[in-house]
Amino acid sequence: MHVHEPRTGTVLKYSIFLMLALAVAEAVAGYWAGSLALLSDAGHNFTDSIALVLAWVAFYWQAKPATEQKTYGYGRAGVLAAFVNALALVILALYIFYESYHRLLEPHEVNARWMILVAGFGLVIDTGVSIALLRKAKSDLNIRTAFLHTAADAVSTAGIVVGGLLIHWTGRQEIDPILSFLIGGLILWSSVGIIREALHILLEGLPRGMRLDSVVAAMRQVAGVESVHDVHIWSLGTDTHALSCHVEIDDIPASAASRILRELNQMLEGQFRIRHTTIQLEHRPCDNHTACYVPETAGASRLGGDG
């Protein structure tokens, strides 16, 4: 079972309030300054806030124990939250593209100084929240989604600061909708990867970075394993993997078979972080022409055969 750090939940909770405050500030400033880029970033930050709320809720749901109805627990709550977040971002990006197109056709005057000031404030908050989430982002898709939200927004706010400076120096108002197009593209790019990975987990695909043939080959290296087939590997959550398979062994005593099963589970957890396994042992009949494996602790390494 994945162990959640209490500090992660605290970081998520405070990040929610910071991102909501930033979204409101950018929305007000964007409307007052006439900046579509700031308004777009406010929408992005508001979506970030929703993402963090869902991540915070999913963080605690994932830690809930299994029940009679939810025998696998709630490990996929975070994956579902990530999928919903990414879909919301795609819709937001398309809307930004629409508004940016119309703003290019009819440029509006922008207050560049307010644009620079508010975007600079947003850059500090986005960067701080991103750094706080980075530690858990590598092992949890849900937290990684929230991190990508805030990291992408940090990049976009930095772009707004630069754009505000360019508008102030050149007076070219079309820079604002061009920035909005770039922000929309950044949002769309960060969303597609999350949707792809979340769908892969929900459709019970092979865990990211794992090779089926490598797992099977490692299982065959365990002493006493003759063959492995009907192998299925999937993810219960973002970092909890499961495996089911059939393993053929010799017709040996139950105590010897238990040792093989124990060694298989130790190997799978140690090498591949697969902690939830369902392994069906199939005994191959022994006869006078087939040697049967017996662990050395049982008295001999091999019994049977012609020799």
Side-chain angles (χ1 to χ4, degrees):
M1 178 178 291
H2 177 53
V3 179
H4 292 285
E5 299 178 15
R7 183 176 175 275
T8 303
T10 303
V11 169
L12 285 171
K13 182 169 62 176
Y14 284 109
S15 298
I16 291 168
F17 292 111
L18 287 172
M19 299 304 292
L20 277 175
L22 179 58
V24 172
E26 285 191 326
V28 173
Y31 178 79
W32 188 83
S35 171
L36 180 60
L38 273 181
L39 288 172
S40 300
D41 205 48
H44 191 188
N45 273 306
F46 181 72
T47 310
D48 287 345
S49 303
I50 297 175
L52 290 170
V53 168
L54 290 174
W56 181 66
V57 172
F59 173 80
Y60 288 104
W61 271 75
Q62 286 178 161
K64 293 182 64 176
T67 65
E68 291 184 0
Q69 289 75 32
K70 303 291 187 300
T71 56
Y72 274 133
Y74 296 84
R76 287 188 177 170
V79 180
L80 287 170
F83 183 69
V84 172
N85 294 345
L87 284 180
L89 279 180
V90 169
I91 295 172
L92 176 64
L94 295 177
Y95 178 74
I96 290 174
F97 290 151
Y98 174 80
E99 289 294 332
S100 300
Y101 172 73
H102 285 282
R103 184 66 70 92
L104 274 176
L105 295 179
E106 298 180 10
H108 294 187
E109 186 175 352
V110 177
N111 188 319
R113 291 182 179 179
W114 271 102
M115 187 175 171
I116 296 168
L117 179 64
V118 176
F121 174 70
L123 177 60
V124 173
I125 293 180
D126 287 327
T127 303
V129 172
S130 298
I131 292 173
L133 293 174
L134 179 61
R135 184 166 175 263
K136 282 293 296 179
K138 295 181 180 180
S139 61
D140 192 308
L141 175 62
N142 184 41
I143 304 299
R144 186 158 69 253
T145 306
F147 166 74
L148 285 175
H149 275 275
T150 56
D153 208 55
V155 174
S156 66
T157 48
I160 293 174
V161 172
V162 175
L165 290 171
L166 291 175
I167 293 173
H168 179 69
W169 291 333
T170 67
R172 301 296 296 269
Q173 304 299 321
E174 62 268 23
I175 292 175
D176 184 61
I178 291 175
L179 281 173
S180 301
F181 266 118
L182 294 176
I183 292 172
L186 186 63
I187 295 172
L188 195 60
W189 174 81
S190 65
S191 304
V192 170
I194 295 297
I195 291 175
R196 185 185 298 114
E197 186 169 353
L199 282 176
H200 185 73
I201 293 175
L202 293 173
L203 294 175
E204 300 189 342
L206 193 71
R208 183 167 55 99
M210 192 177 296
R211 290 176 56 90
L212 184 63
D213 55 353
S214 298
V215 176
V216 173
M219 294 180 71
R220 287 175 174 168
Q221 293 298 314
V222 174
V225 173
E226 297 298 330
S227 66
V228 180
H229 57 98
D230 290 340
V231 182
H232 303 278
I233 307 175
W234 68 100
S235 296
L236 301 175
T238 56
D239 60 350
T240 304
H241 310 315
L243 173 146
S244 68
C245 67
H246 292 206
V247 173
E248 186 179 40
I249 61 176
D250 286 330
D251 190 6
I252 57 179
S255 58
S258 296
R259 178 178 176 176
I260 294 174
L261 183 61
R262 184 169 59 253
E263 291 179 356
L264 280 170
N265 282 318
Q266 290 173 350
M267 182 277 298
L268 289 169
E269 181 173 0
Q271 292 189 30
F272 302 101
R273 296 189 299 113
I274 299 175
R275 300 181 178 89
H276 186 100
T277 63
T278 304
I279 300 175
Q280 180 174 323
L281 297 179
E282 298 176 345
H283 294 271
R284 184 179 63 177
C286 292
D287 54 36
N288 292 331
H289 303 286
T290 304
C292 293
Y293 170 85
V294 177
E296 293 182 2
T297 54
S301 61
R302 291 276 177 179
L303 295 179
D306 294 332

